[in-house]
Each structure stands twice: as structure tokens, then as C-alpha cells.
Amino acid sequence: MIDARLRQQRSRPSILTCLGAVSCLIAVSLGTPTTSFSSTGELTSEDKRLLAKGELVMKEKNEQRGAYKLFGGQSWQIINAPTSVTWATLQDLSGYKNFIPLATESVIKHQDPEETDVAIRQQWGPIDIRYVLQTSVQNEKGAVVFRVDHSQDHDIRAGWGFIRVRPYKKTMSLVSFGALVDIGDGVFVSIVRPAVRRDLLRIPYFLKNHIEGGGEVTSSTNGTAAAD
């Protein structure tokens, strides 16, 4: 069950686990996060056409791993900025609150050459969710991989993910994102899961708005969740 920080509502699972990073996320026991499933080889001709038009392409995924009921998938977005600009934004881990839906804090707690611990806080009304992401910046791959640190307080069950940038037509960037998360069980979670999934996979779109300027992160949880 989710260990909700909101004490008076501890028995109610949270809707605010869209990743972080986003929304995004891993229990150490599940293994090491990887960018191996970010290949554009999974993109169809139609997907590439939509990307070229500036649209977000999303592919959903569900997976059962032991007791974990994971959902998420992959998404891609072209950003009208050079790779150097987009990569600099992704390297600024303390700035992730600018494109993670519902995030109000992204604070570096610890940093060494191998990993950085980033404390994420997401808030929606009276609900307050906190967790720490162990992140690894892979300069040679242009990628950041991350997982939830279960040795520290965490209000979500499990998950992992990555975000990666590559050049697109010399002057633009192609961002690929992937994550799987488990936000817990219960009727409340089943209702909000579609909205959480949408927010999770829209992180490249929110990143685009942030980099290109003036884009506000608008969460699906502010509206009505559609059927999964």
C-alpha cells in the first residue's frame, strides 16, 4: 500500500505519482534502469509523421513483476531547440519541478560522481507526495536514468525510468522517455490511474513547453480521468 504522507488520509492511495521523473521510478530489487527500450525502431512511419508535425507520440505498457502491478510506457517529442540546450536542461536535476506535473520541489539531497539523489515533492489539493530519485546522468548516451530510493521515505510503491535526447535535423532535439510505475491498489487508484498514466507519458511535452518558453504544466488530474 502507498504510505501516504497525508496522515488523516493514510489509507487512501495517491494520484500524484506521475513521475517524476518524472513522474518515473524503480525499486532497487527490480534491477537497474536502462534506456534499451527507447529505440526509435519502435516508431512506425505514422509515428514519425506525427512527430515531424510537432505532436507527442505515446505507447502504453502494462507489466506484472512479482507483486508489482506496473503501468506506463514510452513517449517521444521533438523540441525546437538544439540538443545542447535540451541536454543542459535535463542535466539540471534541481529544475525537474519545471516539467514534472504537480511537482512543487526537486531538491538535490546528495551528489557524487556516480549518482545524485533528488527529492521530489508533488502536491494536489490536500495530498502531499514525496520520494527520492536515485539518478544517473549518462553523458555518453545523452540520457538520465532514475529509480525510487526505497531506503528513504517514499510515498509510492515502485518504478523506474529514463529520459534521453538525440539530435533531430541538426537544429532540433528528439526526446524519448520511458517509465513503469506501481502506485498501489484500491478503488481510488483504479479511478485515477488513466490520468496518472497520461501525465507520466506527457513529460516530454511538458519539457518542450518549458524549453520553448511560457508553457504551463497542466496535469490531467485537474480534470476527469477517462477510462483506461
Side-chain angles (χ1 to χ4, degrees):
M1 295 297 293
I2 296 175
D3 180 17
R5 191 171 300 279
L6 185 63
R7 302 303 178 188
Q8 64 268 34
Q9 297 183 2
R10 178 167 292 277
S11 63
R12 187 174 79 172
S14 167
I15 64 175
L16 299 185
T17 54
C18 50
L19 186 191
V22 260
S23 301
C24 301
L25 316 166
I26 183 172
V28 173
S29 61
L30 291 183
T32 303
T34 175
T35 59
S36 62
F37 66 116
S38 67
S39 172
T40 53
E42 298 190 21
L43 294 172
T44 65
S45 297
E46 176 64 12
D47 293 335
K48 293 175 182 178
R49 186 186 70 81
L50 292 173
L51 279 172
K53 290 177 59 179
E55 297 188 25
L56 174 71
V57 171
M58 300 187 293
K59 295 183 184 293
E60 298 182 355
K61 181 179 178 65
N62 297 305
E63 187 172 321
Q64 181 86 35
R65 292 197 185 186
Y68 293 118
K69 299 177 181 178
L70 301 159
F71 68 89
Q74 293 181 245
S75 55
W76 295 260
Q77 179 79 65
I78 290 172
I79 296 178
N80 189 21
T83 306
S84 59
V85 173
T86 303
W87 180 232
T89 302
L90 293 180
Q91 288 178 295
D92 178 18
L93 301 175
S94 64
Y96 275 39
K97 64 182 179 293
N98 294 317
F99 54 89
I100 294 178
L102 303 173
T104 57
E105 294 179 13
S106 50
V107 179
I108 293 176
K109 294 187 63 177
H110 173 76
Q111 190 168 29
D112 62 40
E114 299 297 325
E115 282 191 338
T116 301
D117 291 345
V118 184
I120 303 293
R121 182 178 186 182
Q122 292 170 287
Q123 295 176 288
W124 184 62
I127 301 175
D128 187 357
I129 301 303
R130 306 184 196 208
Y131 50 90
V132 176
L133 295 178
Q134 292 179 323
T135 66
S136 174
V137 177
Q138 302 180 351
N139 287 287
E140 71 283 1
K141 295 182 178 179
V144 178
V145 295
F146 43 87
R147 60 190 182 188
V148 167
D149 184 352
H150 277 206
S151 70
Q152 304 190 55
D153 289 343
H154 54 285
D155 293 333
I156 63 179
R157 181 179 281 176
W160 69 91
F162 71 89
I163 188 163
R164 181 179 181 182
V165 60
R166 280 169 287 179
Y168 181 82
K169 292 187 176 180
K170 297 183 179 179
T171 60
M172 293 184 282
S173 306
L174 172 62
V175 170
S176 55
F177 172 83
L180 290 171
V181 300
D182 182 343
I183 64 174
D185 299 312
V187 175
F188 181 71
V189 168
S190 68
I191 292 172
V192 303
R193 186 177 284 113
V196 173
R197 186 201 296 270
R198 282 197 302 274
D199 280 351
L200 183 68
L201 296 183
R202 289 171 70 201
I203 283 179
Y205 168 77
F206 298 136
L207 177 64
K208 172 185 173 70
N209 284 357
H210 171 61
I211 291 176
E212 293 184 3
E216 181 179 354
V217 177
T218 303
S219 169
S220 298
T221 54
N222 292 329
T224 302
D228 206 356

